[in-house]
Amino acid sequence: MTENYDVPFDDIDVAILDALRRTVALADPVPPSLVGDIDFTLSLAAMNAELAALTTEAAAVRAASPENAESVTFTSSTMTLMVVIGRDDSAIRLDAWVSGGGITVEMIHGSERSAAVSDVNGRVSWFPVAPGLVRFLIQPLTAGGRPVITPAIEL
Amino acid sequence: MTTPDTESSLGTRAAAAFVDYRAGDAQALHTLVAVVTPVLWHVVRSCGLSTQAAEDTVQTTWLRLVEHADAITSPQAVLGWLCTTAKREAWRVQRATRTVDPVADLEPDLPTPHDPAQVAAMRDEARRLWEHFVTLSPKCQQILRVISMGGAPDYASLATAMGVPVGSIGPTRGRCLAALRTALLSDPDWSLT
């Protein structure tokens, strides 16, 4: 027997969808940290930050272990940020080059933020860095410029 | 400031929060995120993204909203706009990370709970329902999964956002729900609580 489909909803339909909602919530729950992470990202966006594009595909980076993940490059309308992910002993080390010296780059790791200023070669680095998702926030060099925020990459 | 009734439809609560956000109430954006993120999660997961890619994609969807908030002419449209944007972002990620025939991307594999502990945690009723649900076509699973996240007043707008023709689901039952209903009602071990 096949139920008629071209008819209005009835109480059984609504009850089935309610049961399905509960089931889906059990089968594939929303990560508990997701809403907080979004709030944080949006608070950065409220600074009128430009979202940079990830030139290297995120999946390719994730598929690689930190030992062989060579670099990730982000580009925006005003700057380029290349991040090299490496290891010193057992800890993760990040070396990054931004297009210019004297630029403040913040590494955002969960709710923690760690700022560094690029040297004359545009280099900034962080060590040691814990595994997890990180983003980078590049402050504008000139007053009135837009900060740039990158998509998250997983270390 | 509007004070949406928590019993009102998802679309109505989202619209009220969006109106307040555009009026300058920063807290309203948090409310909007809290209300709609579970729906967006299931939109992108039903497109076959991994949990990590899904988290990134939902975050990107919200950034798009902040960028384009002024372009959304009707507050009532914000729920559909978010779902549509999330779906497009998910497809974009799929295309960038998969090397299969692009046509196959239109019917992506759905994530399923492989973790035995996760499955065991399901109540019997839910487990029976899930067993029938996963026998539906991938497209029907995708539609019903997202539709179920709203209440009855939201079915039509959520279905439209998922690319289902207007009138297929909400106000009418539609083929996908009819198929699930048939399977469930013919299963002697399943009953509505």
Side-chain angles (χ1 to χ4, degrees):
Chain A
M1 185 189 84
T2 300
E3 293 287 337
N4 193 354
Y5 62 84
D6 192 20
V7 296
F9 275 110
D10 63 17
D11 289 346
I12 293 176
D13 293 315
V14 174
I16 288 172
L17 286 172
D18 282 346
L20 180 59
R21 181 176 62 248
R22 294 192 296 270
T23 301
V24 165
L26 284 167
D28 188 16
V30 179
S33 63
L34 183 57
V35 167
D37 290 346
I38 292 166
D39 282 340
F40 181 68
T41 302
L42 293 179
S43 70
L44 296 175
M47 299 181 302
N48 192 30
E50 178 183 358
L51 181 62
L54 179 58
T55 307
T56 310
E57 286 300 339
V61 175
R62 290 205 182 89
S65 65
E67 288 87 345
N68 58 21
E70 293 182 345
S71 70
V72 184
T73 302
F74 303 98
T75 56
S76 77
S77 61
T78 55
M79 68 94 220
T80 297
L81 177 72
M82 183 179 78
V83 181
V84 175
I85 306 157
R87 278 184 183 271
D88 278 3
D89 297 326
S90 60
I92 298 170
R93 177 183 182 88
L94 296 180
D95 292 291
W97 284 263
V98 67
S99 39
I103 296 174
T104 300
V105 181
E106 286 187 59
M107 179 189 65
I108 300 163
H109 194 300
S111 59
E112 309 230 330
R113 299 168 70 160
S114 174
V117 178
S118 61
D119 65 16
V120 292
N121 298 314
R123 183 183 176 194
V124 286
S125 57
W126 294 271
F127 176 82
V129 180
L133 281 177
V134 296
R135 293 174 183 271
F136 300 90
L137 176 70
I138 300 105
Q139 296 291 356
L141 198 53
T142 57
R146 292 179 74 188
V148 172
I149 186 169
T150 72
I153 59 170
E154 187 171 17
L155 302 176
Chain B
M1 176 181 159
T2 54
T3 52
D5 178 356
T6 53
E7 295 300 314
S8 61
S9 77
L10 198 62
T12 301
R13 280 184 286 152
F18 187 58
V19 166
D20 290 343
Y21 163 63
R22 286 212 293 203
D25 178 356
Q27 182 61 27
L29 184 57
H30 168 75
T31 302
L32 185 59
V33 168
V35 166
V36 184
T37 289
V39 185
L40 302 182
W41 173 256
H42 290 290
V43 168
V44 300
R45 287 282 285 160
S46 73
C47 291
L49 297 191
S50 68
T51 54
Q52 190 60 65
E55 289 191 49
D56 288 352
T57 302
V58 173
Q59 291 216 25
T60 301
T61 300
W62 285 109
L63 287 168
R64 299 273 178 260
L65 177 76
V66 171
E67 282 180 358
H68 300 288
D70 291 342
I72 300 171
T73 51
S74 164
Q76 287 292 338
V78 72
L79 176 62
W81 188 95
L82 284 163
C83 290
T84 302
T85 301
K87 185 181 68 176
R88 287 177 181 160
E89 286 289 335
W91 284 358
R92 189 184 60 77
V93 171
Q94 281 279 26
R95 282 195 297 273
T97 56
R98 294 174 64 182
T99 55
V100 297
D101 180 352
V103 175
D105 283 347
L106 298 176
E107 298 238 334
D109 295 331
L110 288 163
T112 54
H114 294 299
D115 180 356
Q118 216 174 16
V119 175
M122 289 185 176
R123 297 190 308 273
D124 284 346
E125 178 208 54
R127 190 161 52 231
R128 296 296 298 171
L129 192 156
W130 188 258
E131 286 172 5
H132 289 294
F133 175 71
V134 296
T135 65
L136 301 176
S137 72
K139 187 68 179 171
C140 276
Q141 291 183 44
Q142 183 180 43
I143 292 164
L144 291 180
R145 179 177 174 145
V146 173
I147 299 297
S148 74
M149 297 307 295
D154 302 304
Y155 295 155
S157 62
L158 290 173
T160 303
M162 295 308 292
V164 177
V166 173
S168 293
I169 288 189
T172 61
R173 184 177 297 152
R175 285 186 171 85
C176 295
L177 182 54
L180 180 60
R181 176 180 170 129
T182 300
L184 290 172
L185 296 184
S186 61
D187 180 350
D189 293 330
W190 192 82
S191 62
L192 277 168
T193 54

